[in-house]
Amino acid sequence: MNFSLFFEKDDAVKYHILVSFSEQQDMLISEADLMEQFELSTYKLRQAIELINVDLLEIGHEPATLIDNPEKGILKGVNVSNEILQIILLKYLQKSTIFSAFEYEFIYSNYMSKNTYIKNNFISKTTFYNASTQLQGVLKQSNFFESSEKKEDEEYLIRLHLFQFYYTAYNGLESPFPELDSLVNTIIDQIENSFNLNVTPTKQVKLESLIKIWLLRLKNQSFLQTMENSQFNIDDIHVQKLFPIAAIVKEELKITISQLELNYLLVFLVTQEYVDRSEFVMDNFTTDLSVSLTSLFMQELKASKMFSQVELVDFNKINDIINDIHIQFSTFFIEPTTFTSIEQLDFFHQTYPMFHEVITNFINLVREKKLIDFNNAESANLYFSYMFALINNIPSAALTDKVFICVDFSQGTLYSEYVINTLASFGNAHLIIETSPSSQTNIYLSDFRSRQLTKPTQIIWRNPPSPHDWSALGETIRCIHTTKKRKTNIIH
């Protein structure tokens, strides 16, 4: 969601100026570049910088954040972190009249008159009606009523996007709708008791957001009609564990919770890994989309030429993990704010080239078949999910194109173990570490050259390795792997 679409015009400009500094490694930008980028006069730019510094001063963050002017025509961002950007984003969002119109339409419209809402929020009628008109354009531009895959129930889709909106915008910095905090905490306590679980801090924030949107939509007389996940085979025994929550909501809000609505909450708890999945038959928690995507992914994986010992791979386990990723994507997918950078893929491309090939082939195939219409952030986020699933569940011994490196230092076991442990942290799926040379050894790493070894590449470290030494070793590993992969492709 592009939250800046909701901002007042001047706040949107200030926000994007601040983002511009965070995107520069040295946080230095010329005034001329900013004036050209944002079509501002010198006066307007300097006025915007002055107002940004006032806003940064108001948030009182330590260490202090500001836009400095170290020399004529040059501006420098000081401590412009991601956290600062998130704080400013929320600050500008909360002061926006378009955001006020957004909240009225989706949270209060069915039980509060516009006049009452306008009066309670100290907004003039003209300003509010203008903001409501602008809101429709923002919703359309944001594809608010659309999804990457077909949703059966419009209410389900609206809740999903509201959940994504508030969870991402507030980001744990503040509590949206604080008047519900006490009730929501009571509900979460009951969930922990009913399912014998302990909700971690990050999961607490996510669950609070989901429950608040759920309660507010119910209070606004906005109910599920068909339940997006009606195909899920939900065991009544587990739904009954949520009956005390229905009783709490009825007592506090005078709302009767239907079985359909309890199913909705339970599906969230299961697919988002709150409830121990071992209690459930996960085949009951699949969607048509997740099944088709998982089948296609596994076909690509098995058809790849990455395995030398296929019997070492637990394909059933990988299938379940990939299916879980797709279930989350097709039910309560949260718009990603982390692991979304396309640029970060290069590291994994170099370190896990065969995994990268399978994943990118799959994503391109999904696009060709038009199974999902996902944006770059979504595809990058899915890429990382697939990559971590393969890294964690495919052993190096099962792969072709392995690079064998023998670590043999004269200083003895302690030094060799240090180097071995550091190599293990490289996380290279194709790296096999040996403690004595073999016929398969590709790299011999030591503090003394060996006249007996003629085949392996010998790398000699007479001093503790520097960052340059580690980098050079990594490049040697990559080159050997690339050569092996090229030869394997020729053979096939």
Side-chain angles (χ1 to χ4, degrees), residues 29 58 106 108 126 162 195 269 305 347 398 438 443:
I29 307 179
E58 283 181 357
F106 292 105
Y108 304 106
T126 301
L162 289 173
F195 293 97
L269 294 173
K305 299 172 182 178
F347 167 80
S438 72
I443 298 174

Side-chain angles (χ1 to χ4, degrees), residues 78-136:
V78 180
N79 300 319
V80 183
S81 64
N82 287 332
E83 182 183 7
I84 290 296
L85 291 177
Q86 187 65 43
I87 293 171
I88 289 292
L89 183 151
L90 186 56
K91 176 184 176 70
Y92 291 165
L93 184 66
Q94 290 174 330
K95 64 183 284 194
S96 163
T97 52
I98 298 178
F99 179 57
S100 294
F102 174 82
E103 286 205 337
Y104 177 76
E105 178 162 333
F106 292 105
I107 305 298
Y108 304 106
S109 58
N110 289 335
Y111 72 93
M112 184 184 296
S113 70
K114 282 185 181 179
N115 287 340
T116 301
Y117 182 81
I118 290 170
K119 183 178 179 181
N120 290 347
N121 288 272
F122 308 101
I123 307 171
S124 73
K125 286 185 178 181
T126 301
T127 300
F128 182 81
Y129 283 104
N130 286 339
S132 297
T133 301
Q134 290 177 275
L135 173 63
Q136 300 312 310

Side-chain angles (χ1 to χ4, degrees), residues 80-341:
V80 183
S81 64
N82 287 332
E83 182 183 7
I84 290 296
L85 291 177
Q86 187 65 43
I87 293 171
I88 289 292
L89 183 151
L90 186 56
K91 176 184 176 70
Y92 291 165
L93 184 66
Q94 290 174 330
K95 64 183 284 194
S96 163
T97 52
I98 298 178
F99 179 57
S100 294
F102 174 82
E103 286 205 337
Y104 177 76
E105 178 162 333
F106 292 105
I107 305 298
Y108 304 106
S109 58
N110 289 335
Y111 72 93
M112 184 184 296
S113 70
K114 282 185 181 179
N115 287 340
T116 301
Y117 182 81
I118 290 170
K119 183 178 179 181
N120 290 347
N121 288 272
F122 308 101
I123 307 171
S124 73
K125 286 185 178 181
T126 301
T127 300
F128 182 81
Y129 283 104
N130 286 339
S132 297
T133 301
Q134 290 177 275
L135 173 63
Q136 300 312 310
V138 170
L139 294 176
K140 184 176 181 179
Q141 189 173 345
S142 302
N143 299 319
F144 189 81
F145 295 102
E146 297 178 14
S147 176
S148 56
E149 73 282 350
K150 184 180 179 181
K151 297 295 184 186
E152 299 170 7
D153 191 332
E154 184 181 42
E155 174 59 21
Y156 183 93
L157 180 59
I158 290 173
R159 289 186 193 182
L160 177 62
H161 286 170
L162 289 173
F163 166 55
Q164 292 171 342
F165 186 101
Y166 283 93
Y167 177 65
T168 305
Y170 280 77
N171 198 35
L173 295 171
E174 293 182 22
S175 175
F177 311 105
E179 68 276 8
L180 290 174
D181 284 350
S182 178
L183 174 57
V184 170
N185 287 334
T186 300
I187 290 173
I188 292 177
D189 287 344
Q190 183 59 55
I191 290 172
E192 289 182 317
N193 291 333
S194 295
F195 293 97
N196 191 28
L197 56 93
N198 182 32
V199 177
T200 62
T202 53
K203 286 192 171 185
Q204 175 87 13
V205 174
K206 186 188 294 186
L207 187 53
E208 285 175 357
S209 299
L210 186 282
I211 293 175
K212 284 182 177 181
I213 295 303
W214 182 52
L215 294 176
L216 288 166
R217 289 297 289 178
L218 292 175
K219 190 174 179 182
N220 200 46
Q221 302 298 305
S222 303
F223 306 108
L224 292 172
Q225 300 301 316
T226 60
M227 179 58 182
E228 176 66 20
N229 304 307
S230 57
Q231 62 189 302
F232 287 4
N233 184 12
I234 301 174
D235 193 331
D236 287 345
I237 294 175
H238 293 99
V239 178
Q240 288 170 10
K241 292 184 178 182
L242 297 176
F243 284 0
I245 292 173
I248 292 169
V249 173
K250 186 169 185 177
E251 180 179 352
E252 293 292 325
L253 300 180
K254 313 306 178 189
I255 298 172
T256 300
I257 304 291
S258 68
Q259 177 88 10
L260 197 60
E261 295 290 353
L262 289 179
N263 288 354
Y264 172 82
L265 179 56
L266 181 61
V267 168
F268 177 84
L269 294 173
V270 175
T271 59
Q272 295 297 311
E273 302 178 345
Y274 287 83
V275 176
D276 186 355
R277 296 185 182 206
S278 64
E279 295 185 24
F280 297 86
V281 178
M282 285 311 294
D283 285 348
N284 294 340
F285 284 81
T286 59
T287 65
D288 292 339
L289 179 63
S290 69
V291 170
S292 60
L293 289 174
T294 301
S295 176
L296 188 60
F297 186 94
M298 296 306 294
Q299 287 176 26
E300 287 295 306
L301 180 63
K302 291 176 181 179
S304 71
K305 299 172 182 178
M306 71 168 67
F307 302 113
S308 61
Q309 293 179 270
V310 70
E311 67 276 7
L312 297 179
V313 182
D314 188 343
F315 286 107
N316 289 332
K317 182 179 179 182
I318 295 173
N319 183 90
D320 291 344
I321 292 169
I322 297 299
N323 196 47
D324 285 351
I325 293 170
H326 293 145
I327 290 171
Q328 287 190 11
F329 187 83
S330 57
T331 54
F332 290 95
F333 181 70
I334 302 165
E335 185 177 9
T337 55
T338 56
F339 297 106
T340 59
S341 172

Side-chain angles (χ1 to χ4, degrees), residues 9-26:
K9 184 177 179 180
D10 290 344
D11 287 342
V13 172
K14 290 188 294 179
Y15 175 75
H16 286 295
I17 288 175
L18 203 53
V19 169
S20 296
F21 285 98
S22 73
E23 293 173 343
Q24 303 297 320
Q25 190 169 6
D26 56 7

